[in-house]
Amino acid sequence: MDMSTVQLFFNLYRSLPVSLAPACLSCLVQIASVRRSLFNNQERMKFLNELVQGVRQILESPQSLEEVNNFHEFCRLLARLKSNYQLGELVKVEGYPRFIELIAKFTVTSLQMWQFSPNSVHYLLSLWQRMVASVPYMKASEPHLLDTFCPEITKSYITSRLESVPVVLRDGLDDPLDDAGQQLEQVATIGRCQYEKTCQLLIQLFDDCVQRFSNSATERAVLEGQLTWLVYLIGAVIGGRASFANTDEHDLLDGDMICRVVQFMHFMEDKRASSEKLDLAFLNFFEQFRKIYVGEQVHKTSKVYRKLSEVLGLTDEAMVLEIIIRKIITNLKFWASSETIITKTLNLFNDLSVGYSSVRKMIKLDAVQFLLGNHTAEHFPFLGVNALQDLRCRTTFYTALGRLLMVDLGEDEERFERFITPISAQFDLIGNLIFSDSIQNVEETKRALIGLFRDLRGLAFACNSKSSYQMFFDWFYPSYTPILVRALQLWFDDPALTTALLKFMAEFVQNRTQRLQFDVSSPNGILLFRETSKVICTYGERLLQLGNPPKEQLYSRKLKGISICFSILRSALSGNYVNFGVFRLYGDNALDNVLNMFVKLLLSIPLQDLMDYPKLSLSYFGLLECLSQDHVEFVASLEPQVFLFVLSSISQGLTALGETSTCRDRSPAIELSKPLFAYLDTMVSTGCCATLDNIVTYLFRKLTKRKSGENNERIVQLVESHAPVFQQMLSTVFNIITFEECRNQWSMSRPLLGLILLNEQFFSQLRQQLINAQPNEKQRELITISFRNLMDGIEPNLLTKNRDRFTQNLSVFRREINDSMKTNVVNGGL
């Protein structure tokens, strides 16, 4: 291998002007990222040696790193060394001890210069974090020397952040603590190397700051800022425990730090002097403590609890939970003006309510019983109408409360009634208002309703058993269901209210864990669907009257509500708690009305918008799959232009894989990562395959029935009039399976046989086109044999056994086609 290219860029870096040097380092970052599998072991070590020697030369003469762009790119280069190479390889390079020493000195200096290039610190800490995390897996005999340098780096980070506090306060600079979340995780891992030294340093600094804070009246703001950093750091190093083999000594050290933080928290509560940032630090600390020392995975003999017992008198997990719950209650009472603290507090409360063992200990606590009996704005001001701007956190609160209520509720209806009384009182009050003609404060009434629907959504989510859901249903229906329809009639044009209402309804009708299991003699399933139909039809009728909002508000004011309606309808149709034949048998229009409203809403959305917004696509195609499975006659009986629209949407959905770049969803709530986009696209594509399979199967079976009649004539006409669309989908599915990297091949294969049987002549043309496209007679013969084998043993029916055989043949066919065409590049498919 020629290593001169690597050396060339290092030479250019030293020779070129400062304005061009960062580009050289950026190129070196890309070179260092070259896939390691391109080298054999000897070449890889030679390549790594060249990189390390070049980096070492820069570190020995670091003057050019005083330029911020050079510094940043160099930090990126250091991070790539560990990202692409193992610690066992790094320790074998020539001059490793001097190399790691220079990096350590550079890191310490960089951390102390916290204002210079704050966005570069992540890369440096990432290098050390990855090296420390690799230590348990390293097999090389050479010393890694991390035990020597990691304590220096940990100390440098901690002390430099404490020293930043007075500067930030004095000069009004951006607080590095605001963006320190990932850095704290990295330092926690680095600090686990020589953990005793890390803990001793934190304890020493914490004790010193607490003592000065208690005795000083002049430096309180600075000391409180430093103590905030220390509480975050202690929480981080405790949370870093999970990744490492730990000892009882480490548990004792954790116990020492935990005791100090809890004592300081009590001190601040007694003084009523805690700031918002400090309380956020306490919440973060308790969240880290919960992850490691609360729940099923904790050893009952952990020495942490022994230390807590000796110092604080907290003998078991239940007593520690009491401390945490009391802190949660304190925050909910006194921080109603801080949405950040309320949200973080409720997230902690929600996390605690999930654990199987912890929730059973919590329900016995007096503090939890107080919460269950007093969840009103009088005790917790954040539940007030105008307390918070964003009311979504109330769903989290009632989800956690609901879980606690359900632990030992059983069939105790009186206890449920006592719990729900405050909510009933609010609904009674608002119900009287909105059914009268004298609503004095409309905005306040709407906000009260939004809060209540958020509350109910959380409570309904927690009702996971048949008995608990039945109690909730009996309470809500029929007393309060008219409020849903009335609210939509009055304020259908307010997305904040309609979203809260519809999302509650989506939760209310969802048969999660088979909780909607009504008795044989109960009409509740039918009654629930009737209410669902009323809600969707009321909202849909008024929404369609509004017309299209401005493009920047299209999702929030129209498409989001339609998407939730589709989700509601899908849950209701697939919940398996309604016999839908009853509606037409007894002349009830609830089913027909809601299905017709679905069609109207669908036609109000351009096909491109339907594909561009991920959540809308997912809810629509999920509903369409449900309709094609259980209500396929309704789909087949749609008007020709509507049926064509549905088929066109399915055709678009089949090719959804990989087409995420066109997403135009501007909603802040829909910021989806690329992996999530890929997952959603796969779900859409798979759902489209199932829908197409259901429709094609229905049409084929109708066409092949011996009895003829008016219905069959309609089916024949339907298939013939939409033949081009079916042929296009046949070509699309066939090309995807045959020529593309198909992540859902089995799902794609299911509708293909039905499409072939409906379009045998077109498939013959398709086959002949592919055969004729081959460059020579030998390949044409191979493709001909492959097609013959594809249909070998396949009968003209869609029985399960026949489908399975076709799917097996298709897998072999795909492999044969790809093998035979490796030397023949097919441009553009068929």
Side-chain angles (χ1 to χ4, degrees), residues 67-77 117 119-120 123:
E67 204 278 323
V68 66
N69 290 327
N70 281 345
F71 178 85
H72 182 73
E73 293 298 333
F74 184 68
C75 290
R76 291 183 62 217
L77 177 58
S117 181
N119 292 332
S120 307
Y123 296 107

Side-chain angles (χ1 to χ4, degrees), residues 195-209:
Y195 191 55
E196 295 80 2
K197 293 183 179 179
T198 301
C199 294
Q200 289 167 6
L201 174 64
L202 287 171
I203 290 171
Q204 177 189 342
L205 292 170
F206 193 85
D207 288 346
D208 178 59
C209 286

